[in-house]
Amino acid sequence: MSTKSSTSTKKKIGIPALILAALALLGMGAYIGYFAVGHRALPGTYVGSVKVAGLTQEEIAQRLALANDSKVNISGTGVHTTSATLTDMGFSFDPQAIASETMAANKVWWKYGAALFNKTTVQPELEINHKVASAFAAGLTNGKADAVAPVDPRIEFKGEKFVIKHGSDGKGVSVTSLMEPANELVSTLRNVDFTATITPVAPLLKEADLKEKLDAANNLIAPTITIKGADETFTASPSDKAAWVDANAATPTLNADAVKAWVQSQANNFKVEGVTGVRLVDSDGKLLKTKTDAVAGTDVTNVDEVTATINKNLTEGTPTNATFVISTSELTWTDKKVAAGAENLPYLAAEGEHWIDINLSTNRVRAYEGATLIYDFPMIDGAPGTPTIQGEFAVSAKLTVQTMRGRNADGSTYTTPDVPWVMYFSGDYATHGSSAWRSSWGYDAGEGGSHGCVNMSNEDARTLWEWASMGTPVVSHA
């Protein structure tokens, strides 16, 4: 009887145990499924002091991004009170990278069990923009009597290579001290109050941090660069090449525009602007005179190719020996048909072309249309000490009235108000009215001549002024 009773008892105890084991397995499966299949952070997972257990990677990243909206409230003796975001302070972090780090435990099977009893904390790591952080820290004490901003070491060109220019210590709020509230902000996702203090401040950037950049910058300018063109050879000096490199950039690189500007400046030695020649011909096309000689233009046609070669070779550390390709344009001409009869005049005008003839021998100003005389006015030209200019010019400015000032032949000055109908044709030389102080015209006034302008009666000067337009040719001759 005793044996039977014992067997019966074992059967009754075994069934609940199996059920409990099954339930435990089901519970564990559900637990693992929730966190593994659902891609959720395990229990006891924190980012800083922020609990993120049960959140997906994207949800964690979104929550961490709230740090960018929080601020550090800074105050202190000798410090400007201000509130600033991480970005303002020159700090940043990667919410996605941190969120991904929190999910690393999901890939290790035994951590699912350990997570029930242990706390796992991921501490965000801040990245520093040295330039922004230094400027922000300096701004906290800007204008304060006891503050001196530290100066970071930097790379500069000296002699024939880049060197490191030493930085100097300062006195103010250190960037390092600002990392404390920045880390607290990221760890709590809340605004942080921080009391800053004035301390000796070393440059945030160390000279050792620049060594790799220094080597990269000097490697960029090491290869020789020569360009041949015709009988000339151009070689880029170390200072030329240094001007193409921003050695203090995150990674020293070539400025392609600066390289091209140097190449173009050498190419400009071979650049000649072509000139279209002007030939004066009669009605039958016979050449009367060459007014302007034609000049063939020349230019370098492979500036872009040479620039690309230099950029490539400097990047690869190899020398450049390039050659300019120089092209020459054909001569071009414009034929101007001269009005019949104008071939015997001082100016070979086209048919109907307006032009002005200033004859210093006869003291006359004549206005022509082609070879046809329209007006013939008497005038007085410049005195021997201030003669009227001779040559071929054009009307360049017109004024109805002007106060004229200048210098006499003896060095004294003069001022003449209200000069009417002024028409400049070369520098300070002009035709204008002057009846207020002249009563006769058309003779050699000698020492009583003008300061170089062509004096006419008001009526004649006005007629000429109204007839001529800007650009009208003016020929002055003896």
Side-chain angles (χ1 to χ4, degrees):
M1 293 293 292
S2 175
T3 303
K4 291 182 179 179
S5 175
S6 176
T7 303
S8 174
T9 300
K10 287 181 180 179
K11 289 182 180 179
K12 289 179 181 180
I13 294 174
I15 293 173
L18 290 174
I19 293 173
L20 289 174
L23 290 174
L25 289 173
L26 286 173
M28 182 59 72
Y31 165 73
I32 294 175
Y34 178 78
F35 289 101
V37 178
H39 300 290
R40 298 177 182 277
L42 297 179
T45 302
Y46 288 78
V47 174
S49 62
V50 178
K51 186 176 182 179
V52 295
L55 299 181
T56 65
Q57 180 174 322
E58 188 58 36
E59 289 170 340
I60 295 172
Q62 291 174 359
R63 180 168 295 186
L64 294 177
L66 296 175
N68 292 319
D69 298 323
S70 300
K71 293 186 176 182
V72 175
N73 303 311
I74 303 172
S75 61
T77 303
V79 175
H80 296 294
T81 300
T82 187
S83 295
T85 64
L86 288 176
T87 301
D88 295 333
M89 298 167 67
F91 300 117
S92 62
F93 69 104
D94 187 344
Q96 289 290 350
I98 296 170
S100 176
E101 186 179 349
T102 64
M103 305 302 295
N106 292 50
K107 300 177 182 179
V108 182
W109 67 267
W110 59 266
K111 288 191 176 184
Y112 284 85
L116 295 171
F117 309 100
N118 298 315
K119 179 180 178 180
T120 300
T121 301
V122 175
Q123 186 60 45
E125 291 187 8
L126 291 175
E127 295 182 1
I128 303 177
N129 182 317
H130 293 279
K131 184 176 181 180
V132 175
S134 296
F136 177 80
L140 291 174
T141 54
N142 186 35
K144 299 294 184 179
D146 295 334
V148 178
V151 178
D152 282 337
R154 60 180 285 107
I155 297 173
E156 64 176 23
F157 183 78
K158 188 174 182 179
E160 296 190 351
K161 64 180 181 178
F162 287 108
V163 297
I164 295 177
K165 182 178 181 180
H166 301 304
S168 59
D169 292 344
K171 190 176 182 182
V173 178
S174 70
V175 173
T176 303
S177 70
L178 294 175
M179 293 185 69
E180 176 188 335
N183 278 317
E184 183 180 348
L185 185 153
V186 176
S187 296
T188 61
L189 305 183
R190 295 194 303 267
N191 292 342
V192 175
D193 294 328
F194 178 69
T195 301
T197 57
I198 306 297
T199 62
V201 179
L204 186 62
L205 194 62
K206 308 302 180 185
E207 291 189 13
D209 299 334
L210 297 177
K211 183 63 170 62
E212 187 175 342
K213 285 186 182 181
L214 179 68
D215 292 340
N218 280 322
N219 287 338
L220 278 175
I221 66 171
T224 58
I225 296 172
T226 58
I227 308 175
K228 295 180 180 179
D231 296 328
E232 297 184 64
T233 299
F234 306 95
T235 301
S237 67
S239 60
D240 288 331
K241 292 179 284 184
W244 309 339
V245 179
D246 181 2
N248 290 286
T251 301
T253 54
L254 290 170
N255 183 327
D257 290 337
V259 178
K260 183 174 181 178
W262 181 84
V263 175
Q264 185 65 64
S265 68
Q266 313 316 312
N268 287 342
N269 289 286
F270 305 99
K271 186 177 182 65
V272 175
E273 293 293 339
V275 177
T276 298
V278 179
R279 296 180 294 208
L280 305 177
V281 298
D282 62 17
S283 57
D284 296 326
K286 180 181 178 182
L287 179 65
L288 298 174
K289 180 182 178 181
T290 298
K291 183 178 181 179
T292 305
D293 287 324
V295 177
T298 60
D299 202 1
V300 173
T301 60
N302 65 332
V303 167
D304 287 340
E305 291 83 351
V306 171
T307 300
T309 298
I310 292 174
N311 283 328
K312 177 177 180 295
N313 289 350
L314 287 178
T315 302
E316 296 176 353
T318 57
T320 297
N321 293 290
T323 302
F324 281 139
V325 176
I326 303 171
S327 66
T328 303
S329 64
E330 295 182 359
L331 295 176
T332 57
W333 294 89
T334 295
D335 289 343
K336 176 183 176 181
K337 187 175 292 187
V338 176
E343 64 271 14
N344 299 316
L345 297 174
Y347 179 73
L348 302 182
E351 192 68 43
E353 181 182 9
H354 286 206
W355 63 285
I356 298 170
D357 176 23
I358 299 174
N359 193 320
L360 304 178
S361 297
T362 63
N363 298 103
R364 308 294 294 186
V365 175
R366 295 184 175 91
Y368 287 88
E369 292 182 10
T372 303
L373 179 65
I374 305 301
Y375 299 112
D376 187 352
F377 303 126
M379 63 84 172
I380 289 178
D381 62 339
T386 54
T388 299
I389 193 171
Q390 296 186 44
E392 186 175 311
F393 312 102
V395 174
S396 56
K398 298 174 68 177
L399 302 169
T400 56
V401 65
Q402 182 186 31
T403 295
M404 289 188 168
R405 296 178 175 84
R407 191 172 296 278
N408 298 306
D410 62 4
S412 61
T413 59
Y414 69 87
T415 299
T416 307
D418 302 326
V419 179
W421 311 114
V422 181
M423 191 158 62
Y424 287 98
F425 57 85
S426 178
D428 294 333
Y429 295 93
T431 62
H432 59 73
S434 52
S435 59
W437 63 91
R438 298 268 186 203
S439 59
S440 60
W441 311 93
Y443 65 94
D444 181 1
E447 294 297 336
S450 73
H451 293 94
C453 287
V454 175
N455 292 3
M456 304 168 65
S457 70
N458 282 353
E459 181 180 353
D460 292 348
R462 177 172 184 171
T463 299
L464 186 67
W465 192 95
E466 292 177 341
W467 175 82
S469 59
M470 292 289 291
T472 297
V474 177
V475 180
S476 175
H477 61 95

